[in-house]
Amino acid sequence: MCLAIPARITAIDPSGETATVALGAVSKNCSLALIEGAAVGDYVLIHVGYALNRISEEEARQTLDLMREMGVLNDLQEAPTAAPSSLTL
Amino acid sequence: MTDPAGKLHITLDPAAVTITSTRPVRAAKVFVGRDVADTVRLLPVLFNICGTAQSAAAAAAIEQALGLTPDYRVVELRRHLVDTETLREHLWRILLDWPKFLVVAPDAAAMTQAMRLTIARRTALTAGSAVLAPGASVADSDQPAAALARENLAALCAERLFGVRPAAWLTQVDRLDTLAVWAADTDTVAARLVRQIIAAGQAGYGRCAVSALPDLSATDLDRHLGDDAATTDDFVARPVWAAQPRETSPLTRQQDQPLVRNLATDCGNGLLPRLAAQLTEVAHLLNDTPGPGVSPTPAALSAGLGLSQVQAARGLLVHRVHIHEGRIAAYAILAPTEWNFHPRGVVAAGLQQLLRQHGADRIAPLVRLFIAAVDPCVDYALNLPGSDCSLPHADDARNAGSNQKS
């Protein structure tokens, strides 16, 4: 099924075209071509190398909770748990 | 890290093309046991790719299961919203991904503008109303603002994609020779890619015999998506119809349009008709021409059952829900990627033919282009003849131009 993964922007390159995002201890680079005004600390949905859109911390938590319930985050032990205080992607 | 969205693994070998998938195709089961309100709230959070099509399909299925009949204006508005999302998805491919196959920079500025305009159109259409919720009332759309956003999108595409107004393109470009003239005279990425494919004699690359998914009734689909987990799980993972793999995509939606129909005469369902179908669909969406896929009349299913069919960007999206005493008893989603990337489907057969037509030498960029032309909506790893490991996507795209035949 077509899922995008919530992640938190940890760095943006000087050109503003790409960002580094983190899910738990895993970091990835992504394009910012599809969103405007992204900032470090924002939560975004990642899909095939693009940040799709900005989401709230609460939406990120809900999405990850559902993915965990589905069992697709089982091998990602470092991903945040449901407790909002621990959502430090 | 295993990608929670899953991945396709595609292996080309002269003897066979193998496609395996780790996509979580049974993900909708996470809603079983939840109440309807909770499901409606969470579904777009989880299925956020083509989220509008997913929400529209969910609303229609749940309304049927609850015995609700949506106002025709709500149905029409949902179609406009899904069409706007489809337009955005196609422009994403054409403006950001097609340039990689010409080894030029993506047109990020045009895509940024397209995103602004599709958001503006969506905002104007919904006017703050939750029109994608089951039982929604009619929204007081800002029609002038929605029309202006579409007009501005048409102007953007005239400049960065078609070189002429989309309506004029549809009139002028209706067969291979007029497509070739347009491609030769137009300096956009889309035209250059078409020009390159025609010049390289690759128009029919990937042509194969997999046929289009026929129109199916809700009753037909309900037999395969019922509460029996074993039957449904297999069908949503590897669907076939009449024992044959089928295709559902922009190509099958646009197959009766003049350009696509005429290209099929020489090129079948090969590479060029696929790209032409995407361009044709963009032009029609900008004209607000109703899609060729007619919404099927809801069949009389048993009480508590609902089944919807929505034409999403990449093909037919089906939702089937069973609601019992206010809670989800079963939920299944059948996505177009599972038809098109079936182990014996149009991509597997098309790549096998592509390998025969081109040979293994420097085939990687063509394979990537063919896959992009079908559009898997998910990341994939590729193993090619003679390669020791999966090819990285980005490196492949950078080398795309080196694969041309002259």
Side-chain angles (χ1 to χ4, degrees):
Chain A
M1 203 47 58
C2 308
L3 309 178
I5 313 304
R8 181 172 171 267
I9 296 177
T10 56
I12 296 177
D13 80 340
S15 71
E17 294 177 353
T18 62
T20 304
V21 298
L23 175 60
V26 179
S27 289
K28 283 189 171 186
N29 292 326
C30 68
S31 167
L32 295 177
L34 298 178
I35 60 173
E36 291 187 90
V40 171
D42 284 350
Y43 289 88
V44 290
L45 291 168
I46 304 297
H47 179 58
V48 291
Y50 289 91
L52 287 186
N53 49 286
R54 209 176 286 106
I55 58 173
S56 69
E57 184 173 338
E58 173 63 14
E59 288 171 319
R61 184 186 64 78
Q62 285 184 345
T63 308
L64 290 168
D65 283 350
L66 281 172
M67 289 180 172
R68 195 171 283 105
E69 193 175 329
M70 288 158 50
V72 295
L73 284 183
N74 285 351
D75 64 340
L76 199 65
Q77 297 303 319
E78 66 274 40
T81 63
S85 60
S86 68
L87 189 62
T88 53
L89 291 176
Chain B
M1 163 185 167
T2 301
D3 189 342
K7 200 169 195 174
L8 296 170
H9 295 266
I10 303 172
T11 301
L12 265 74
D13 183 274
V17 171
T18 307
I19 298 179
T20 59
S21 171
T22 60
R23 278 161 53 81
V25 294
R26 302 168 189 93
K29 287 186 176 182
V30 76
F31 301 120
V32 172
R34 297 181 191 272
D35 63 32
V36 171
D38 207 24
T39 300
V40 169
R41 181 177 61 82
L42 292 173
L43 193 136
V45 171
L46 185 61
F47 300 120
N48 33 47
I49 312 295
C50 290
T52 302
Q54 294 279 4
S55 293
I62 289 171
E63 282 164 346
Q64 185 183 8
L66 296 177
L68 304 172
T69 302
D71 188 288
Y72 75 93
R73 290 165 293 182
V74 170
V75 174
E76 185 69 4
L77 181 50
R78 287 173 181 166
R79 182 183 71 78
H80 283 303
L81 290 170
V82 172
D83 284 352
T84 302
E85 178 177 75
T86 295
L87 179 60
R88 183 200 69 191
E89 293 289 311
H90 288 350
L91 292 179
W92 176 1
R93 296 282 86 75
I94 294 168
L95 295 171
L96 297 185
D97 290 347
W98 287 15
K100 297 173 184 172
F101 299 103
L102 295 166
V103 202
V104 298
D107 195 349
M111 191 63 215
T112 299
Q113 186 63 9
M115 292 294 290
R116 285 186 192 140
L117 292 169
T118 51
I119 291 169
R121 178 160 168 78
R122 180 189 171 93
T123 302
L125 286 170
T126 58
S129 169
V131 70
L132 293 169
S137 53
V138 179
D140 187 18
S141 299
D142 184 346
Q143 293 295 349
L148 177 62
R150 193 182 68 218
E151 176 60 26
N152 288 336
L153 278 162
L156 176 70
C157 290
E159 179 188 345
R160 308 298 268 268
L161 203 160
F162 294 111
V164 295
R165 299 282 302 170
W169 187 85
L170 285 171
T171 303
Q172 295 168 12
V173 180
D174 61 351
R175 56 185 191 272
L176 180 57
D177 58 348
T178 53
L179 180 68
V181 168
W182 166 76
D185 293 345
T186 306
D187 188 23
T188 65
V189 163
R192 287 178 58 194
L193 186 59
V194 167
R195 190 160 72 224
Q196 173 178 298
I197 291 167
I198 293 173
Q202 297 166 343
Y205 272 25
R207 178 178 187 167
C208 68
V210 174
S211 60
L213 181 67
D215 291 339
L216 301 175
S217 73
T219 310
D220 290 336
L221 285 163
D222 187 58
R223 281 199 296 273
H224 297 269
L225 294 169
D227 290 0
D228 176 56
T231 303
T232 299
D233 286 358
D234 188 54
F235 190 68
V236 298
R238 288 173 297 276
V240 292
W241 198 256
Q244 296 298 319
R246 307 287 183 157
E247 176 175 359
T248 174
S249 68
L251 178 68
T252 59
R253 277 198 294 257
Q254 302 297 328
Q255 63 185 354
D256 292 329
Q257 296 301 312
L259 173 62
V260 180
R261 187 181 64 235
N262 289 329
L263 287 177
T265 304
D266 294 324
C267 313
N269 60 356
L271 186 55
L272 189 60
R274 293 187 177 283
L275 301 185
Q278 287 194 38
L279 294 171
T280 300
E281 188 152 284
V282 167
H284 277 299
L285 289 169
L286 291 167
N287 277 350
D288 198 25
T289 312
V294 178
S295 298
T297 305
L301 301 177
S302 303
L305 295 184
L307 193 145
S308 63
Q309 302 184 57
V310 169
Q311 287 292 344
R314 296 165 182 83
L316 183 70
L317 175 68
V318 180
H319 278 218
R320 191 264 192 192
V321 65
H322 180 190
I323 299 174
H324 181 65
E325 295 181 349
R327 293 191 174 273
I328 306 299
Y331 207 121
I333 299 177
L334 176 59
T337 294
E338 274 56 61
W339 290 102
N340 299 332
F341 288 79
H342 184 282
R344 295 185 288 116
V346 70
V347 170
L351 290 179
Q352 190 74 62
Q353 179 66 3
L354 183 63
L355 188 55
R356 288 191 202 102
Q357 291 166 311
H358 184 79
D361 185 40
R362 303 171 86 177
I363 197 176
L366 268 176
V367 171
R368 295 283 190 199
L369 178 55
F370 187 80
I371 292 171
V374 183
D375 194 359
C377 182
V378 68
D379 199 8
Y380 62 91
L382 193 58
N383 274 293
L384 297 174
S387 65
D388 294 330
C389 58
S390 297
L391 291 172
H393 199 163
D395 288 352
D396 208 27
R398 281 198 294 273
N399 293 329
S402 64
N403 194 57
Q404 296 177 60
K405 280 185 169 179
S406 56

